[in-house]
Amino acid sequence: MKLGTCYYPEHWPEHLWPEDARRMAEAGLKQVRIGEFAWSRIEPQPGRLDWVWLDRAIDTLHGAGLEIILGTPTATPPKWLVDRMPDMVAIDDQGRPRGFGSRRHYCFSHRGYRAEAARITRAVAERYGQHPAIVAWQTDNEYGCHDTVLSFSDAARLAFRAWLADRYGTVDALNRAWGNVFWSMEYRSFDEVDLPNLTVTEANPAHWLAFRRFASDEVVAFNRNQVEILRQLSPGRDVVHNYMGFFTEFDHHAVAADLDVVGWDSYPLGFLDSFPFAEADKLAYARQGHPDIAAFHHDLYRGCTPTGRWSVLEQQPGPVNWARHNPAPLPGMVRLWTLEAMAHGAELVSYFRWRQFPQAQEQHHAGLLRPDNEPAPGLAEAAQSALDIAALGPVGEPVKQVALIFAYDADWVTKIQPQGAGLSALWATFACYSALRKLGLNVDIIPPTASLDGYALVVLPCVPIVPDALVAALQSFNGQVVIGPRSGSREPDFAIPGNLPPGPLQALFPAKVVRAESLRPGLTHPGDGWEIARWREDLETSSELELCASDGTPVCWKHGKVRYLAAWPEPGLASEVLSRAARDADLMLQPLPDGLRVRRAGKRIFAFNYSTQTSELPGSLAGKLILGERTLPPAGVTVLEA
Ligand code: GAL
């Protein structure tokens, strides 16, 4: 694994560049990621391209031995372009244009903007496609950041109608598929179909699902446009994109099909503060991040490409600026995050950013250097990580134990009709992931179409739309299976299956879910060390009842190698059911102390202490110490080798 940093030469006087490049190399950084926001400097006036500064910046970095990831600058179209093409901006769900003055103000469906994005991509790739310093291209930056996948523009409306005509063939087929007879929502032609915003009450969920699928396809097409240009003009270089955390607005599996390496941007402290974690965890892990946040995304994004190639393209090096509260990491956490990415098989960890910028939106965002050019605490940890990485050598092959199935349309279905506050497929998946990791297991998160070979246990935390290929793969799979709530509960156009949920999964598990209910906070059915909360289902089934709450409410059934969990995977319940399945799968369970997590690779066990207390490696984790100690200090990392 290499280390790198995100650098913006256009923000700094040129006399700093050589010194910056030298200090990067001296810290053990090998790659530098540049260019993704520089359109206004690359093309200051329409058609007038200024390469002089970028040539010099690239040559300076290259001269210091650094490899470059060059970004296409399409996340920040300049003012002159917006003025020339005012309808290229995205429109929010209230019908308001998203104005110039920050970033990501474009609409994915605007064909004129797509042509402009292709034009600037081609220009940059023609200039640098063969440059020996360029090892990879990043398309755009964080598709969807700042809530920008869905645009309710005229361009989107027209493109959506064409997309619908293509998908359904006739408007009668659309009416039938969506159940538009309900509330007299029937259309006479595709031209009558609007976008699903601004309706009096909720629009038809089938309408929303179609619109989300369409919007995701627009992201795929936008990205593919650039990829094709880059492949043509810069063959042999990797094409990457940087995904975000806890973000599901487009189908990341579909975009990844066009990439060589999936990147993601890891901000564990910002994510902990911004997402629905328990208040106690927000406090306990305020300076470390919840111990499963980073690893969850490592394992999710590794599963996005068949080759499993992935990177951290942005790594938090200190406080960020964008969460409600932005604490500094505990000393040692920057190194821990870095080595944990390594243990999960990253190719690169690139710190965002090299130097804190004293102006504009991100002035409170730490870099590896302070604005006065002195080292910030992250720099020494990055340099130490570089030494550790060199000393550790190759990580070892990932060890396959458990696969979690996650699909982006699963999250769309549960967001469109949650039927209970805060219940989404993404968070069901995270809960199962976390429960399995606390048992010391290696977890891969894979799409429903991936191979199940080599796993001992496969879990569908919440997969409402089940493709036939997944049913077939599960039927020939020999390991244990756990099916979670709402799985198989929808057909592709959002209808409840005729045979009732779990629909096509009835081929594996003989049951009908005859009723589902969601439960307000406090309305629970306690069990032994766990509880039924938030969601539960009534089943008619011939399978064996395995687990009930203390009041007799059934919660888990078993049929051969398959279990059905008929309630939301709350931490305690998820742990109970998944432990049973893991034991039946002959996996060795190693419950870990609070905040300790492990990852197995080849003959190695990597251990990470996310707690603010020292933590002891359980005796059953044996091997020769090759890094750290068996007693891990806060933010400590230990590596054992068999
Ligand atoms: C990311 C983004 C970066 C920077 C960073 C700050 O979402 O890609 O450009 O804004 O956040 O944490």
Side-chain angles (χ1 to χ4, degrees):
M1 184 180 87
K2 292 178 179 172
L3 297 182
T5 190
C6 309
Y7 184 51
Y8 301 90
E10 68 275 20
H11 297 177
W12 307 102
E14 201 174 323
H15 69 83
L16 285 180
W17 300 351
E19 183 63 2
D20 283 338
R22 191 192 59 73
R23 292 172 83 185
M24 289 174 194
E26 186 184 87
L29 308 183
K30 303 264 186 272
Q31 294 201 342
V32 54
R33 172 176 166 269
I34 66 170
E36 77 273 21
F37 301 127
W39 196 336
S40 72
R41 289 297 173 94
I42 292 172
E43 191 178 18
Q45 302 287 342
R48 186 169 76 71
L49 294 159
D50 178 2
W51 303 116
V52 178
W53 69 275
L54 191 50
D55 287 354
R56 282 208 292 264
I58 288 177
D59 289 341
T60 303
L61 296 165
H62 185 43
L66 296 160
E67 300 173 336
I68 293 175
I69 302 174
L70 187 53
T72 66
T74 50
T76 49
K79 180 72 167 96
W80 57 257
L81 182 53
V82 180
D83 287 347
R84 283 188 153 192
M85 213 186 259
D87 61 351
M88 62 160 272
V89 299
I91 303 292
D92 77 5
D93 62 355
Q94 297 304 302
R96 296 170 303 207
R98 307 198 65 183
F100 181 85
S102 65
R103 62 178 171 183
R104 300 217 56 80
H105 34 283
Y106 69 84
C107 169
F108 280 100
S109 297
H110 194 276
R111 295 312 187 252
Y113 184 63
R114 261 198 214 174
E116 282 296 301
R119 184 184 61 78
I120 194 70
T121 298
R122 183 171 289 283
V124 182
E126 272 169 355
R127 183 79 185 178
Y128 301 111
Q130 305 292 332
H131 195 293
I134 309 296
V135 295
W137 292 89
Q138 176 184 299
T139 54
D140 202 280
N141 188 76
E142 289 193 343
Y143 289 134
C145 186
H146 316 305
D147 199 11
T148 50
V149 168
L150 302 184
S151 168
F152 300 86
S153 64
D154 289 342
R157 180 175 297 105
L158 286 177
F160 182 48
R161 288 172 180 165
W163 185 94
L164 291 173
D166 195 46
R167 181 176 172 100
Y168 294 100
T170 68
V171 79
D172 287 343
L174 178 150
N175 284 325
R176 275 195 306 277
W178 291 9
N180 279 340
V181 59
F182 191 75
W183 289 354
S184 278
M185 294 182 293
E186 285 162 306
Y187 300 108
R188 293 164 304 157
S189 87
F190 288 109
D191 294 338
E192 291 183 347
V193 185
D194 265 319
L195 301 179
N197 63 326
L198 297 175
T199 51
V200 173
T201 182
E202 61 181 308
N204 188 334
H207 190 171
W208 269 116
L209 183 60
F211 182 56
R212 282 182 170 274
R213 284 195 175 117
F214 154 77
S216 178
D217 285 356
E218 294 288 85
V219 178
V220 172
F222 185 91
N223 182 65
R224 185 171 297 158
N225 240 346
Q226 296 196 11
V227 173
E228 283 168 357
I229 294 166
L230 296 169
R231 295 218 185 282
Q232 182 203 343
L233 296 174
S234 192
R237 271 75 170 180
D238 287 330
V239 181
V240 311
H241 179 77
N242 54 334
Y243 289 168
M244 294 190 289
F246 297 120
F247 186 78
T248 58
E249 297 290 286
F250 63 88
D251 185 339
H252 291 46
H253 296 131
V255 169
D258 291 319
L259 303 174
D260 299 299
V261 181
V262 167
W264 84 281
D265 296 345
S266 181
Y267 294 95
L269 304 191
F271 296 148
L272 176 68
D273 195 77
S274 306
F275 288 98
F277 288 91
E279 280 305 317
D281 282 348
K282 288 197 182 201
L283 205 54
Y285 296 117
R287 297 190 186 282
Q288 309 94 290
H290 182 287
D292 298 310
I293 289 180
F296 176 77
H297 293 93
H298 299 338
D299 293 337
L300 172 65
Y301 294 141
R302 194 184 53 250
C304 281
T305 61
T307 56
R309 295 184 60 197
W310 67 281
S311 285
V312 175
L313 287 173
E314 297 181 12
Q315 172 63 60
Q316 171 164 11
V320 300
N321 62 301
W322 45 262
R324 274 174 313 168
H325 313 95
N326 298 293
L330 209 67
M333 280 315 294
V334 173
R335 170 175 173 266
L336 183 152
W337 293 327
T338 305
L339 296 181
E340 193 175 37
M342 181 191 191
H344 287 251
E347 294 189 2
L348 169 73
V349 170
S350 173
Y351 303 97
F352 183 94
R353 50 190 292 140
W354 174 243
R355 184 168 37 238
Q356 185 174 349
F357 190 55
Q359 291 179 292
Q361 280 90 333
E362 295 179 351
Q363 28 187 293
H364 275 291
H365 197 297
L368 295 179
L369 299 183
R370 304 187 317 211
D372 67 356
N373 219 13
E374 292 298 316
L379 183 65
E381 293 197 30
Q384 180 57 47
S385 306
L387 299 176
D388 293 328
I389 292 163
L392 283 167
V395 175
E397 283 301 299
V399 173
K400 282 184 165 189
Q401 295 184 315
V402 186
L404 293 183
I405 311 276
F406 179 71
Y408 284 85
D409 64 6
D411 206 51
W412 302 340
V413 165
T414 53
K415 272 191 180 137
I416 292 169
Q417 266 194 353
Q419 180 68 2
L423 301 180
S424 87
L426 179 72
W427 290 98
T429 308
F430 184 84
C432 292
Y433 179 84
S434 190
L436 291 160
R437 287 246 302 166
K438 282 184 193 152
L439 297 169
L441 295 169
N442 264 22
V443 187
D444 292 338
I445 305 172
I446 60 173
T449 49
S451 159
L452 306 179
D453 287 352
Y455 294 108
L457 168 61
V458 171
V459 182
L460 286 68
C462 175
V463 184
I465 299 174
V466 176
D468 294 343
L470 177 57
V471 178
L474 287 167
Q475 279 176 311
S476 53
F477 175 65
N478 288 324
Q480 296 289 309
V481 178
V482 176
I483 300 173
R486 294 196 75 170
S487 294
S489 67
R490 286 297 178 278
E491 292 181 345
D493 282 303
F494 220 108
I496 294 172
N499 57 350
L500 296 189
L505 293 171
Q506 289 176 8
L508 293 161
F509 189 83
K512 283 183 179 202
V513 176
V514 293
R515 186 171 69 166
E517 61 167 345
S518 56
L519 307 171
R520 60 173 306 111
L523 188 55
T524 60
H525 300 267
D528 184 10
W530 49 267
E531 61 179 17
I532 298 174
R534 305 218 271 176
W535 178 279
R536 59 166 297 279
E537 297 174 350
D538 290 319
L539 265 62
E540 281 176 10
T541 178
S542 57
S543 61
E544 172 199 339
L545 179 58
E546 192 185 30
L547 193 64
C548 289
S550 312
D551 64 5
T553 307
V555 67
C556 182
W557 281 265
K558 196 176 170 206
H559 176 75
K561 62 180 190 185
V562 186
R563 284 180 167 79
Y564 190 93
L565 169 60
W568 205 253
E570 291 294 317
L573 178 58
S575 180
E576 175 70 34
V577 171
L578 295 172
S579 309
R580 287 166 184 250
R583 273 193 292 270
D584 287 352
D586 288 332
L587 289 168
M588 208 262 285
L589 300 188
Q590 175 50 73
L592 296 169
D594 272 355
L596 194 72
R597 293 292 187 273
V598 298
R599 168 80 188 172
R600 289 156 211 272
K603 291 180 172 169
R604 291 180 175 177
I605 300 175
F606 289 73
F608 304 94
N609 185 13
Y610 274 85
S611 126
T612 50
Q613 314 295 320
T614 55
S615 191
E616 196 62 34
L617 274 188
S620 65
L621 297 178
K624 182 164 79 75
L625 277 173
I626 57 169
L627 184 78
E629 303 295 334
R630 292 199 66 93
T631 304
L632 287 84
V637 179
T638 293
V639 184
L640 300 173
E641 193 164 82

